[in-house]
Every structure is written in C-alpha cells, then in structure tokens.
Amino acid sequence: AIFVCSSAIAASPDPFAWKNVNIQGMGYVTGLVIHPLPPYDVYIRTDVGGAYRFDRGASRWLPLLDRFGTLQGEVNGVESVAVDPTDPNTVYLAANYGPAVNNSPVAGEVLVSHNRGLSWSALGLASVSPPVYMGANDPYRGTTGERLAVDPLQPGTIYFASRKDGLWRGTLTSPTSAQWAKVGGGLPSNVAQYQGNNVGMTFLVFDTSSSTQWFTEEALYLGLYGTGVMMSTDGGA
C-alpha cells in the first residue's frame, strides 16, 4: 500500500495592487522612461498632454511643459523621451516646436533639460531642411519603443529615429546646441515606402555589453515598422 500525506498550501497574496495613476494631465500616456542613476527619476510622455516627472517626496507628477504658452502648444505632443545615462539631471524630449510659418507644418525638434525638466533648450533639429516629421498623436503612438536615445558611451551624441525622415544623429557642440546629420550606412532614407500609416522607425536601443571581440563599438538596434530590426556593429556608421 502507498500512503500520501499532503498539506494545504496557502496561496501567496498578489504583491501588486494595480490602480489608475492620477497625473492631473490629459491624453494617452504613450511612454515611460526611468533614469538608471539615483534618484531614479521616472518620466512619462503623452500624446497631447506634455511630459511629467514623478516627485517621490510629494507623491505627485510634475508637469514639465506647462511653461510653454499657447503659441507653442504643439510641444505638448511628445514623440519620445530619453535620459543621459551618465547624468541624472539631463533629459531629452522630441516634439514639434515653434510657431508655424506661412501655414507650414511645425518642425520636429529635440529639446534638452539639464535640471530634470525645469527648463528646456532647443537643440536645433528644427532647422534642418526639409523639417523632420514628428507625430506624437499619430497611429501606433503608444505601441512603439523610444525613438530618441543617448549614446551611453558618448553621451554627447543623440539619435532620433523618425516616422518618415530616417535616422538622425545630433552631436552636442555645447550643453544647449547640437549639429545634426542624417545617418546612412544602408538605412532606408524614407521608411514611408514600407508602410502607409507614418509609423516608420519605432525604436532605437544600445547594447553596451557588446564584446569587443566582435564589435568595434557598441551595437545599435533599430526597429522598422513592417520590416523588422536592423543592427549596426560600428556605432551607427
């Protein structure tokens, strides 16, 4: 005969209690970025309601773009957010910025803050011609990764992967200005040909653990909607 002795195992309680977060803002929350250095700031972006940083001490979300007036209201449509992984005070965002001229579309811009979002400076992407398209309120706005990224090994280099106008690299010439150039290296110049809904390039991420046995620099991975993932093993060259 076989005897089995069993005891009831109490179910462990769910460690998380999920509920909606009241940010006192508007629009869809389309992305969330956490800084890897203390105090581990949490930033969120929305499609029409600006960007926010969580204030842990006061348990509230601080609006970071309310300082812009109605003539610059388009900046509240935030396409992407990125942090400088070497500096807890520096954060970047991509958005349309500046009043339209002669009814032309407002150009896409990258802005930087060196005080965790209290003030912002435009880095000059809006000056390239033709302007880089950004569509924070376009389809698939909440189902992609971050199009904006800071090179972790060269934090003075910023990349923006656009919806329609290719991949752009910005090189800081000062803390509040940058020179921009389009990245080639086999990338399609206009990804709109691959789809019809302005999704384009969907994310850009760095792999800093890449072994120098294989790569001369860190690897970059770039998502292309409807196409797949492209990889660079030489820092984007």
Side-chain angles (χ1 to χ4, degrees), residues 28-31 43-46 50-51 78-81 141 144-146:
Y28 289 119
V29 176
T30 52
Y43 295 91
I44 58 174
R45 58 180 166 95
T46 70
V78 182
E79 183 83 290
S80 188
V81 172
R141 57 194 179 275
T144 64
E146 295 299 333

Side-chain angles (χ1 to χ4, degrees), residues 152-153 206-215 217-219 221:
L153 299 185
F206 289 86
D207 178 11
T208 57
S209 66
S210 305
S211 172
T212 54
Q213 177 182 355
W214 300 314
F215 307 142
E217 299 182 52
E218 75 270 45
Y221 295 90

Side-chain angles (χ1 to χ4, degrees), residues 203-207 210 215 219-223 229-232:
F203 68 84
L204 180 70
V205 294
F206 289 86
D207 178 11
S210 305
F215 307 142
L220 284 76
Y221 295 90
L222 177 70
V229 178
M230 298 191 74
M231 177 184 184
S232 170

Side-chain angles (χ1 to χ4, degrees), residues 116-136:
R116 303 164 69 206
L118 297 181
S119 60
W120 297 90
S121 298
L123 289 178
L125 181 63
S127 64
V128 304
S129 182
V132 176
Y133 179 84
M134 295 188 187

Side-chain angles (χ1 to χ4, degrees), residues 179-203:
Q179 290 183 339
W180 293 91
K182 203 167 188 177
V183 178
L187 290 176
S189 60
N190 188 336
V191 294
Q193 61 185 303
Y194 292 94
Q195 38 72 39
N197 48 18
N198 293 343
V199 182
M201 296 178 173
T202 56
F203 68 84

